[in-house]
Amino acid sequence: ESVDDEDEILLALADELGNFVEYVGGPHYGHILFTPLENLAAVEETVVRDKAVESAAKVVVSLSPQQVEEFYIPMLKRLSVGDWFTSRTSACGLYAAAYNLVSPAHQDELRHLYAQLCNDDTPMVRRAAATHLAKFTKPMSKAHIVAEVIPLFNSLAQDEQDSVRLLTVEDLIAIAEVLKPDEAKTYILAVLRSLCSDKSWRVRYMIADKFVQLAKTVGQDIVKEDLISAFVHVLKDNEAEVRTAASTQVPGFCALISQDAILNEILPCVKDLVSDTSQHVRGALATQISGLAPILGKDHTIEQLLPLFLQLLKDEASEVRLNIISKLDRVNEVIGIELLSQSLLPAIVELAEDKQWRVRLAIIENIPLLASQLGVGFFDEKLGNLCMSWLGDCVFSIREAATNNLRKLIEVFGVEWAKQTILPKVLAMAQHSNYLYRMTTVFALATMAQAVTPEVIRDYIVPTATTLSADPIPNIRFNVAKAFGTLVPLLKKADMASLINEQIKPTLSKLGEDTDMDVRFYAIKAVQLI
């Protein structure tokens, strides 16, 4: 009765019916749910049909073999030969769930019916058959796959519609998993070659996107003889989308082939892609290229990859620069920080002032790693001032990340270093005429307190916070109250109750009588922690 209802209602109905077995009297009566689900599987709206199929597959698992043969199979047959393509499309998704639950005679029948759907006149049905073929293949025996599934797969892979052909890439992987390498050569190599050089870019895109998965399933011989040249083709494809997908597969595929093949065949393509006209291709490559460093080893990384990293670090697109920075730790593991800093540090310092704040943020997040490897002397000389300059950045996220960065640096270099280099500079900012600098000082003090000793909190942080509690700007006063809320538990742990009672409590009491409502709120909240 409800099939004419709103699609949202039908979708909710199709979803709920899958969990309804216990409410109709348990598995013994579960088959009753197939009646409404069959109607929902034939409606026009795709999402409703898909959900109905999913629910029917969920229900069938709880039924007895007798119920499956008596109720589920007849429903499957009716949907498979329905007049409208919608019901035949839905039927494709119902075969895999029932295959292992029925007798061999019924299994033969199911394979026969599925073959009809694979050869249906309507492209939408063939598309659904191609989508579900991989799942339907899983429960089958190898003999049936070779005798019946591979011919179906071949016809779908040569379909006139590219929207059908592109869906057969998943099927190819599922079939290749079952076959031995020599059988793969016999049965699927020809189709693989034709898909790799398909006239439709969408099909080539699917191949490029699943290339590593494919290479792992078809065996080393096919990889050496066919897939290396096929991979070079997709890396040089006319369509940027295909090159982008292929770029994401570079390290994964290179791990499967010899170093000579990488250097002679793949690296020349990678060098071309670094200066590709499409920003998306360069962005995808920047994310993945560092994965080549462990595969190529130190010498080849220095000789072949470092120039490419430098080029990508200077790319005009911020996304590309961002992607290469965020993966530098992999390169560091291979060539060591000394070489990395000599060759890449100038570029990193330049990027630290990049106009895109996300690029600056990525640099900040990598600073503690660089610091731990570079050592104190080098860091103070090259990067110390840079880290302080971020505290005055115009973007709040950068200022916040910069305060967290200081905490991490104290953890790396120790409290004594902080007392000599960072703390004097942060405390000086408390006198700055611009209120944003004073605000950042409050944030920095609260964050750094978690990494320093109780004595540093007593001698440096609490006096400065107390001074700032009388600031004319309410935002600063209530952030001081919040900072005290962070400091109190730390001082309690260090048995510094006298400091809390003599300095912090009177300051918070004063803030609790402030003219600003927010200042009073946070001051009272902090007092409750004492």
Side-chain angles (χ1 to χ4, degrees):
E1 284 176 24
S2 306
V3 168
D4 296 328
D5 222 322
E6 293 283 333
D7 288 335
E8 284 86 352
I9 295 169
L10 295 181
L11 179 61
L13 186 62
D15 190 18
E16 287 300 324
L17 286 173
N19 307 314
F20 235 65
V21 174
E22 60 181 295
Y23 305 117
V24 294
H28 191 63
Y29 297 99
H31 59 268
I32 291 167
L33 296 169
F34 292 145
T35 309
L37 285 170
E38 184 177 349
N39 290 333
L40 289 167
V43 299
E44 206 170 317
E45 180 54 51
T46 311
V47 286
V48 177
R49 293 202 311 271
D50 289 348
K51 193 53 81 175
V53 167
E54 198 182 302
S55 291
K58 216 190 271 184
V59 171
V60 74
V61 180
S62 62
L63 305 185
S64 68
Q66 190 188 344
Q67 284 173 294
V68 175
E69 293 185 3
E70 203 176 321
F71 300 102
Y72 188 83
I73 301 292
M75 172 186 76
L76 189 52
K77 286 179 184 171
R78 288 193 296 275
L79 287 169
S80 298
V81 295
D83 292 339
W84 288 96
F85 79 87
T86 51
S87 62
R88 301 200 300 278
T89 305
S90 294
C92 296
L94 294 169
Y95 281 79
Y99 190 79
N100 271 342
L101 305 173
V102 296
S103 65
H106 276 109
Q107 288 180 348
D108 293 343
E109 197 176 359
L110 290 181
R111 291 195 305 278
H112 178 67
L113 280 168
Y114 202 88
Q116 288 177 3
L117 293 168
C118 288
N119 295 309
D120 198 276
D121 293 338
T122 315
M124 283 78 91
V125 178
R126 297 200 301 276
R127 208 156 50 207
T131 304
H132 295 286
L133 185 61
K135 211 184 272 184
F136 189 38
T137 303
K138 287 226 161 68
M140 282 190 208
S141 68
K142 190 170 174 180
H144 287 137
I145 291 172
V146 172
E148 296 178 42
V149 173
I150 290 177
L152 294 177
F153 161 71
N154 286 339
S155 72
L156 289 169
Q158 288 157 26
D159 197 277
E160 62 193 24
Q161 298 276 337
D162 65 351
S163 60
V164 176
R165 294 198 304 276
L166 68 87
L167 293 166
T168 60
V169 176
E170 290 276 7
D171 304 335
L172 177 60
I173 294 167
I175 292 168
E177 281 173 354
V178 179
L179 302 176
K180 290 176 183 164
D182 54 331
E183 292 171 329
K185 271 188 188 177
T186 311
Y187 295 117
I188 58 173
L189 183 55
V191 180
L192 175 57
R193 282 176 182 158
S194 72
L195 288 172
C196 287
S197 55
D198 197 279
K199 62 180 185 288
S200 163
W201 72 266
R202 287 183 182 85
V203 179
R204 299 196 304 276
Y205 171 85
M206 285 301 286
I207 284 281
D209 194 44
K210 305 277 180 198
F211 215 92
V212 173
Q213 241 181 311
L214 257 175
K216 283 178 178 171
T217 52
V218 295
Q220 272 301 316
D221 288 353
I222 294 179
V223 171
K224 270 186 213 157
E225 292 161 20
D226 285 272
L227 289 192
I228 293 175
S229 57
F231 194 55
V232 169
H233 279 302
V234 288
L235 286 171
K236 290 180 173 176
D237 200 274
N238 297 332
E239 293 293 334
E241 283 86 348
V242 179
R243 297 197 301 277
T244 304
S247 298
T248 64
Q249 305 288 300
V250 168
F253 184 66
C254 287
L256 303 173
I257 60 177
S258 67
Q259 200 169 77
D260 286 347
I262 299 172
L263 295 170
N264 300 328
E265 307 278 346
I266 309 296
L267 260 184
C269 300
V270 171
K271 284 174 183 170
D272 292 342
L273 292 173
V274 166
S275 47
D276 196 278
T277 49
S278 163
Q279 173 190 327
H280 301 296
V281 175
R282 300 195 307 275
L285 186 68
T287 309
Q288 298 294 335
I289 192 169
S290 56
L292 284 174
I295 299 166
L296 289 176
K298 187 172 179 177
D299 295 342
H300 288 304
T301 299
I302 294 164
E303 192 185 326
Q304 308 279 357
L305 292 184
L306 268 185
L308 304 182
F309 293 146
L310 276 170
Q311 197 176 329
L312 289 166
L313 275 171
K314 291 172 183 167
D315 198 279
E316 61 188 28
S318 61
E319 179 204 353
V320 178
R321 303 193 297 271
L322 187 63
N323 289 353
I324 194 83
I325 297 156
S326 54
K327 294 286 191 296
L328 278 181
D329 52 336
R330 284 193 215 160
V331 186
N332 171 36
E333 286 164 18
V334 178
I335 66 168
I337 197 71
E338 208 169 305
L339 270 166
L340 187 67
S341 58
Q342 281 170 17
S343 51
L344 300 182
L345 203 66
I348 287 171
V349 171
E350 202 178 307
L351 287 172
E353 290 155 11
D354 196 279
K355 62 179 184 293
Q356 281 284 342
W357 69 267
R358 283 186 177 84
V359 175
R360 301 200 298 277
L361 187 62
I363 288 284
I364 294 174
E365 284 166 355
N366 278 283
I367 285 290
L369 169 79
L370 281 168
S372 62
Q373 308 281 345
L374 289 167
V376 174
F378 194 96
F379 178 82
D380 284 347
E381 187 190 332
K382 304 279 185 186
L383 295 171
N385 291 332
L386 196 59
C387 288
M388 294 308 298
S389 71
W390 283 320
L391 291 168
D393 197 278
C394 57
V395 176
F396 173 75
S397 293
I398 298 294
R399 297 197 298 275
E400 185 183 33
T403 60
N404 285 321
N405 181 42
L406 292 182
R407 177 175 59 78
K408 287 175 189 166
L409 289 172
I410 294 170
E411 287 166 4
V412 172
F413 292 143
V415 176
E416 281 307 311
W417 169 81
K419 276 161 72 174
Q420 288 164 19
T421 53
I422 286 185
L423 269 171
K425 291 175 183 173
V426 172
L427 299 180
M429 281 169 58
Q431 315 296 325
H432 204 284
S433 57
N434 185 330
Y435 94 96
L436 280 176
Y437 281 82
R438 302 199 300 278
M439 179 87 93
T440 306
T441 304
V442 179
F443 291 142
L445 293 175
T447 309
M448 285 158 61
Q450 297 159 36
V452 296
T453 58
E455 290 71 32
V456 171
I457 297 176
R458 181 191 65 205
D459 299 341
Y460 297 93
I461 292 177
V462 171
T464 309
T466 306
T467 309
L468 286 167
S469 69
D471 198 279
I473 306 288
N475 269 17
I476 290 174
R477 296 200 301 277
F478 86 63
N479 274 300
V480 167
K482 283 169 86 171
F484 278 137
T486 308
L487 296 176
V488 167
L490 295 171
L491 292 169
K492 271 186 171 177
K493 223 184 248 181
D495 290 332
M496 287 197 166
S498 58
L499 179 66
I500 295 171
N501 292 323
E502 288 164 23
Q503 290 193 45
I504 295 177
K505 205 171 181 182
T507 309
L508 285 172
S509 301
K510 194 176 166 193
L511 289 172
E513 295 162 7
D514 200 276
T515 51
D516 188 275
M517 185 174 74
D518 291 326
V519 178
R520 292 198 302 274
F521 172 77
Y522 284 108
I524 292 162
K525 207 172 172 186
V527 167
Q528 288 166 357
L529 295 169
I530 295 173

